[in-house]
Amino acid sequence: MDTTGTVSVFPFGGRCGFTQELHDLAVKGINCFTVFKILRAVTIGQVNLEFTQCPEPYRPSFLTAKRLREFALNPENGMSESFIEEALAKGDECYGICDGNQLASYGWYSFRPTRIDPPDLLLRFNGDYVYMYKGFTHARYRGQRLHAIGMTLALQHYLGKGYRGLISYVESNNFDSLKSVSRMGYEEFGSIYLMRVFGRYLTHASRGCESFGFALEELSAEPAGL
């Protein structure tokens, strides 16, 4: 696959579902023995007007630290207190859509290198972009495109601040998410391959990642006693 420029967000999109199933089985099979992932790197720099109107009675906004800490008390919201404190400490922002006092959907946005899963890996990226991560929609609100709306409104905000767009990734066997980000307007620009071997991570970023500064770095273990 040519990754020197923008390519299709569907690395297997033109093939049958059987090929996708084989890819999914292969990734899951390797993960029975070690950590192995292929991260499809995606970006979006234009607002899709289809997703700029938030329907009633929902209210979209950047969430304050106070509200985030309140939402963290409910495990249904999918973010722990420790996660929120780490994210806020590095200046990350959360754009959410609320239904009264219920958090319906949200996404997190970072301007600095950010830990991914596995948490001992740090994702670096070009500072001209904002890294979008941890998109979530509560089960009872799914199917209403709230994630797309929230992400688009956040994108509109950051473009107004002078950023070139959003940057993110989707795991290669998460086909539903790949389809979803494509509908939103994201385009794939490269891939990162990672595997844990003898306790260390081997990573390889395709050429398309270079211009976005999109790369993984293994975090050093803290010295004993700290």
Side-chain angles (χ1 to χ4, degrees):
M1 182 173 61
D2 180 10
T3 56
T4 57
T6 298
V7 296
S8 169
V9 77
F10 298 105
F12 304 98
R15 304 179 185 180
C16 65
F18 180 66
T19 304
Q20 293 182 343
E21 291 177 8
L22 284 178
H23 177 73
D24 185 48
L25 287 172
V27 171
K28 289 179 177 177
I30 297 173
N31 276 277
C32 290
F33 304 97
T34 187
V35 177
F36 173 71
K37 294 186 179 187
I38 303 173
L39 311 181
R40 303 300 185 191
V42 296
T43 185
I44 184 170
Q46 293 186 332
V47 171
N48 186 336
L49 296 179
E50 180 182 357
F51 302 120
T52 55
Q53 298 299 317
C54 189
E56 295 289 346
Y58 304 119
R59 291 291 180 266
S61 68
F62 283 99
L63 302 176
T64 65
K66 180 177 182 295
R67 295 206 74 189
L68 286 166
R69 292 186 176 107
E70 291 171 352
F71 287 136
L73 298 176
N74 183 352
E76 292 184 1
N77 290 328
M79 50 183 171
S80 67
E81 294 177 74
S82 60
F83 164 78
I84 287 176
E85 296 308 324
E86 178 179 345
L88 293 178
K90 60 192 283 290
D92 294 1
E93 298 177 334
C94 182
Y95 195 90
I97 296 178
C98 294
D99 179 13
N101 292 322
Q102 172 67 52
L103 182 57
S105 181
Y106 64 82
W108 280 85
Y109 299 87
S110 181
F111 315 94
R112 299 173 59 187
T114 301
R115 291 196 300 155
I116 68 165
D117 179 24
D120 43 355
L121 289 175
L122 191 74
L123 179 67
R124 296 189 175 277
F125 52 92
N126 188 317
D128 290 337
Y129 294 84
V130 180
Y131 171 53
M132 186 271 163
Y133 70 107
K134 201 171 175 61
F136 176 87
T137 300
H138 192 287
R140 76 175 66 124
Y141 295 101
R142 291 172 188 166
Q144 303 180 60
R145 297 185 173 183
L146 295 183
H147 174 60
I149 292 170
M151 183 278 298
T152 302
L153 293 175
L155 170 63
Q156 195 170 46
H157 169 81
Y158 291 123
L159 289 175
K161 293 287 187 179
Y163 289 96
R164 296 178 63 181
L166 303 180
I167 199 167
S168 191
Y169 73 83
V170 180
E171 294 190 21
S172 65
N173 59 331
N174 189 344
F175 301 110
D176 287 342
S177 289
L178 286 169
K179 291 178 183 178
S180 177
V181 298
S182 179
R183 284 195 299 267
M184 293 182 209
Y186 277 92
E187 295 179 319
E188 184 183 330
F189 60 84
S191 299
I192 295 181
Y193 303 80
L194 72 93
M195 177 180 285
R196 189 169 176 85
V197 180
F198 300 121
R200 299 300 302 270
Y201 288 99
L202 301 179
T203 66
H204 171 73
S206 65
R207 285 188 298 163
C209 295
E210 293 179 6
S211 60
F212 291 86
F214 206 74
L216 290 178
E217 172 186 320
E218 186 171 1
L219 294 172
S220 300
E222 292 185 352
L226 292 184

